[in-house]
Amino acid sequence: GNEDTQELIAVLGKYQAKATFFVVGEWVDKFPESVKALHDAGHSIQNHSNTHKHYPKLSRDEIIKDLNACNDKIEKVTGVRPTLARPPYGDYDNAVIEAVNAAKMTSVQWDVDSLDWKNYGVQNIIDTVCNHKSLDCGSIILCHLGAKYTSQALDEMLTKLQDMGYEIVPVSKLIMTEGYHMDANGMQIKD
């Protein structure tokens, strides 16, 4: 859904936080005004597939076609072509990463899952993120538009994260595009 888009924009704006929104092409079709509003507020709009299929079950050409279809939709609304892709369900393997690379994109994964999609309450989301064992500089926190409690949790979560010394930035400011290698855990290590 998109019912909380404006509220999320307002809360992020209150903290001068810029986020990355990985959107599905079908969502862009349904809510182009929300995509435009997020982009106009200075947030990064990136690719979460066109149809939210499990990429490891698709061929390389099907993945590239799906990514490009979503990229075309996002670019039509924002004027900016995505460079990052978050495979649906966090489901990927080497073949998926190679297909994403062939589409001239970088595959992204999160390391802190808010579990907001479970609809288990505001305080649980805040605690899950702010007390997560993996939370560190460079962490990518996964939250969802349209999840029942995310917009309500965001204000306190951002307050706590900033009090802990974190700055919220788009994913593109966190990742290296050259001069790095990946360790066995998928972490980027500067060469």
Side-chain angles (χ1 to χ4, degrees), residues 4 9-10 20-21 34-35 47 69 79-80 86 112 114 119 133 135 168 174-175 178 180 185:
D4 59 353
I9 289 170
T20 301
F21 289 84
S34 291
V35 174
N47 191 321
V80 179
R86 184 170 77 77
V112 176
S114 70
N119 296 328
K133 63 181 176 159
L135 184 64
I168 309 303
L174 297 176
I175 61 172
E178 55 186 47
Y180 73 94
N185 297 314

Side-chain angles (χ1 to χ4, degrees), residues 37-58:
L38 291 164
H39 171 75
D40 289 351
H43 302 291
S44 176
I45 310 300
Q46 298 293 330
N47 191 321
H48 187 43
S49 82
N50 194 47
T51 56
H52 212 266
K53 293 180 180 172
H54 287 274
Y55 273 11
K57 295 179 180 179
L58 302 179

